[in-house]
Amino acid sequence: FVVKAAADLWPYPPKELRDYFIYTDEEAERISALETDLITNYHNLIVPQFISGVKPLNDKTWAEYVSEYKKMGLRDYMEIYKNGYDRYMSVKKLK
């Protein structure tokens, strides 16, 4: 199955390949901690509950899910990610 999927995609290579974004040491430490909290400790716990039906997926539980992300530092995560992206794009323009 995987080999067939790869073969099907072969005629459609990506238009652009991206390297990793460029972070300062402080940003790298912070984003690593945030990713652990947001993805490993929260997303990977809650999403399977939604998928399996253990936790109902409705407007209330979705709002709680999003609210918890915000409390855990999603805004900081997105700002660091955007700063890294902006630096990446500025270096890319120099090439």
Side-chain angles (χ1 to χ4, degrees):
F1 176 73
V2 173
V3 173
K4 175 158 178 12
D8 290 345
L9 292 174
W10 188 257
Y12 309 101
K15 294 177 183 169
E16 178 181 355
L17 296 176
R18 295 195 174 186
D19 294 320
Y20 291 101
F21 294 158
I22 303 165
Y23 299 112
T24 66
D25 290 343
E26 294 81 17
E27 287 173 334
E29 285 181 33
R30 180 70 175 132
I31 204 164
S32 177
L34 286 167
E35 283 177 345
T36 298
D37 288 344
L38 295 169
I39 306 300
T40 305
N41 296 338
Y42 189 62
H43 173 87
N44 292 350
L45 174 71
I46 301 299
V47 169
Q49 292 179 14
F50 283 142
I51 292 169
S52 67
V54 170
K55 186 175 194 73
L57 181 56
N58 54 45
D59 290 343
K60 180 179 182 237
T61 58
W62 183 255
E64 291 168 353
Y65 176 72
V66 171
S67 176
E68 189 62 27
Y69 261 127
K70 289 177 181 177
K71 285 185 221 171
M72 295 174 76
L74 181 62
R75 185 177 307 270
D76 291 344
Y77 178 82
M78 295 304 295
E79 184 177 331
I80 294 168
Y81 200 88
K82 182 183 179 323
N83 290 341
Y85 173 79
D86 290 344
R87 280 191 292 274
Y88 167 81
M89 292 305 289
S90 68
V91 169
K92 184 178 173 196
K93 288 177 186 176
L94 297 175
K95 292 181 180 181

